[in-house]
C-alpha cells in the first residue's frame, strides 16, 4: 500500500508540474471531494480537474509533499503531512504557499488507490489563497465551473 500511494502522490506532482490537469484529475475517485484554502468544497473528478486547470493557468509551477503519517484503514488509507505549492506569475512573481494536508485514499475495484477526500490548510494567506478578485485560491468562478457530476466534461 505504501508504495502504491507514494507512486500516486508522485504522479500528481508530475502531472501538475507538466501542466496536465487531466492527468491530475485521473488520480481522484469519480466522486472525490477537495477542500482547498479559501473556497467551497469541490466535488467530483471533473470539478477537481477544473480546479487544478485554474491553478496551472495562474502559474502553478511546483508541488511538494512531506508525508508525516500514512495509516492503512482496510480499503482506505490516510496520508497526512506538509505541502508546498509554488506559483510563478507575471503579476505577482514567485509565490509559495505552505501548509498541512490530509488525504483519504480509497482502493477502487481494479486495485489502484484514488484520492477520495483531500484537505489543504495554508499556514498563512498568500496571493494564492487571499480572496482577491483575480486569484481566489484557484477557485473557478461559479459561472464557468463545469458540471459537478462524476465523469462530466471539464473543458
Amino acid at each position: 500500500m505504501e508504495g502504491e500511494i507514494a507512486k500516486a502522490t508522485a504522479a500528481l506532482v508530475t502531472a501538475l508540474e507538466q501542466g496536465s490537469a487531466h492527468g491530475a484529475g485521473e488520480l481522484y475517485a469519480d466522486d472525490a471531494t477537495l477542500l482547498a484554502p479559501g473556497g467551497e468544497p469541490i466535488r467530483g473528478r471533473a470539478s477537481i480537474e477544473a480546479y487544478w486547470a485554474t491553478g496551472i493557468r495562474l502559474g502553478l509551477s511546483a508541488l511538494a509533499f512531506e508525508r508525516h503519517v500514512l495509516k492503512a484503514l482496510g480499503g482506505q488509507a490516510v496520508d497526512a503531512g506538509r505541502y508546498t505549492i509554488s506559483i510563478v506569475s507575471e503579476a505577482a512573481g514567485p509565490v509559495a504557499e505552505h501548509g498541512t494536508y490530509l488525504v483519504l485514499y480509497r482502493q477502487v475495484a481494479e486495485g489502484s488507490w484514488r484520492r477520495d477526500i483531500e484537505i489543504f490548510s495554508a499556514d498563512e494567506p498568500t496571493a494564492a489563497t487571499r480572496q482577491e478578485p483575480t486569484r481566489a485560491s484557484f477557485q473557478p468562478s461559479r459561472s464557468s465551473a463545469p458540471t459537478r457530476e462524476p465523469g462530466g466534461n471539464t473543458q
Side-chain angles (χ1 to χ4, degrees):
M1 179 245 352
E2 185 173 347
E4 289 110 353
I5 289 179
K7 278 177 73 175
T9 301
L12 177 67
V13 169
T14 299
L16 292 172
E17 289 179 352
Q18 292 178 349
S20 176
H22 178 74
E26 289 294 311
L27 300 165
Y28 290 83
D30 289 339
D31 60 347
T33 300
L34 173 64
L35 298 131
E40 295 294 319
I42 303 162
R43 292 186 172 85
R45 182 185 289 170
S47 294
I48 292 169
E49 187 175 319
Y51 169 83
W52 288 121
T54 301
I56 291 165
R57 279 192 306 276
L58 290 174
L60 187 148
S61 61
L63 175 63
F65 293 98
E66 179 184 325
R67 177 177 295 134
H68 292 207
V69 175
L70 180 62
K71 183 179 252 183
L73 305 166
Q76 297 179 320
V78 172
D79 175 9
R82 304 278 304 153
Y83 75 90
T84 301
I85 293 177
S86 299
I87 300 167
V88 178
S89 72
E90 289 181 28
V95 175
E97 175 184 291
H98 305 276
T100 55
Y101 75 89
L102 185 134
V103 179
L104 177 66
Y105 281 88
R106 176 179 7 141
Q107 193 169 26
V108 294
E110 79 271 358
S112 66
W113 291 87
R114 303 285 177 159
R115 296 168 104 77
D116 190 23
I117 300 172
E118 183 167 10
I119 302 167
F120 287 96
S121 179
D123 291 342
E124 297 179 14
T126 65
T129 58
R130 282 191 302 264
Q131 291 298 322
E132 297 177 352
T134 58
R135 297 173 68 150
S137 184
F138 303 173
Q139 295 297 323
S141 69
R142 292 194 185 272
S143 61
S144 65
T147 61
R148 295 188 182 262
E149 297 176 4
N153 291 332
T154 60
Q155 305 219 351

